[in-house]
Amino acid sequence: MTSKGRIFSGMRPTGRLHLGNYLGALQNWVALQNEGYECIYCVVDLHALTTETDTSHLRANTYEMVLDWLAAGLDPQKTILFVQSQVPEVNELHVILSMVTPFGRLEDLPTFKEKVRQNPENVNYGLLGYPVLQAADITLYLAQYVPVGEDQVPHIEFTREVVRRFNNRWGEVLVEPEAKLTETPRVMGLDSVNKMSKSLDNHIELAATPEEIRRRVMTMVTDPQRTHRHIPGRPEVCNVYHLHQIYTPADQVIRIEHDCKTAAIGCVDCKKIFAASLITGLAEHRERRARFAADPDYVWDVLAEGRKRASVIAQDVMLRVRDAVGLP
Ligand code: ATP
Ligand code: MG
């Protein structure tokens, strides 16, 4: 089968993956792999350094995250899975791309402003340059499509601009990528205010036990106007309802919508039903994950093989980049 195009994406190894990572990105990663795209997925450990000052968990987090990838259906026979720092060509491309990056453009990116707000005592040069390194990740593999959640769209737009500037100055070597979103590009956290995010601890892990799922779901914020059991709810503004639409069978969802609008059920009952749906919905993931974890070397073997395959592409593209730039 010929490839429909080259895909690249990455995730930071900052912990086990959550529903937002899956519904916003990982689900698409698996689908694209199975639709005949040539896929390259990266553990972006250097990106994790921008916010993680304690780096002692990077290795364990990489292992846990790749288990989630495999359990979700990424297939190392079809797809390259590798660790960013193990293919160091990306650092050289990062430096070159930084020369066609206007400084002010980086300061204006919403993700930078948000991280500064969340963590004002650790605003480092690497954090500002994060999108340039990300542009290097994507363009080093000449990727055409980048499956990501909505929060990453400004970075893909930024990458396109950098590619245009590079190609204008040095010739058509790099490829302008396009973002690919899922139908749920922004999953809200348990607080219903922020996007679900590892760093905000407002998430549910894909690998959560039934007990953890029940506990976390019961803390979910529902329609803020439904302050009493007898007040009818508005499913259209309720995060629990949105997730019911994904994890609960359709006939049951219709009943929940009706019962919520008529105050026939309260939010606690609704959340109990959702917890049960989610426990069922994630059971297979948990089982597959445990099977992959049974051989502790497997993840590392997969990443070692991915490193070799990624290096071949990266080295070839860097030869072309150096030649275009005129480096002696
Ligand atoms: P952190 O809080 O450490 O930034 P994160 O949970 O945002 O972690 P990332 O590694 O930054 O996870 O993101 C991995 C992928 O998951 C990206 O493509 C991102 O767009 C997507 N993603 C993350 N959170 C969500 C969400 N709540 N909804 C949809 N997509 C998401
Ligand atoms: Mg993030």
Side-chain angles (χ1 to χ4, degrees), residues 232-296:
R234 298 170 301 163
E236 66 281 5
V237 303
C238 178
N239 194 21
V240 178
Y241 180 72
H242 294 151
L243 291 172
H244 264 305
Q245 289 177 304
I246 298 168
Y247 288 101
T248 302
D251 52 333
Q252 224 181 329
V253 174
I254 293 170
R255 200 163 57 244
I256 289 165
E257 182 185 3
H258 173 269
D259 290 353
C260 172
K261 283 178 171 168
T262 56
I265 56 165
C267 294
V268 171
D269 299 326
C270 179
K271 288 196 257 189
K272 281 185 183 158
I273 302 171
F274 175 59
S277 302
L278 197 57
I279 288 166
T280 308
L282 295 180
E284 198 191 325
H285 184 91
R286 238 182 356 263
E287 283 158 23
R288 286 173 53 91
R289 203 177 189 283
R291 280 206 296 277
F292 285 114
D295 174 2

Side-chain angles (χ1 to χ4, degrees), residues 9-12 14 18 20-21 23-25 115 130 147-152 184-188 195-200:
S9 196
M11 290 191 193
R12 305 187 334 137
T14 48
H18 54 72
N21 298 135
L23 297 170
K115 292 283 181 206
Y130 184 136
V148 282
E150 194 179 66
D151 60 301
Q152 291 296 316
T184 44
R186 183 179 163 85
V187 176
M188 298 310 284
K195 92 165 179 75
M196 190 176 281
S197 173
K198 278 170 274 183
S199 43
L200 296 178

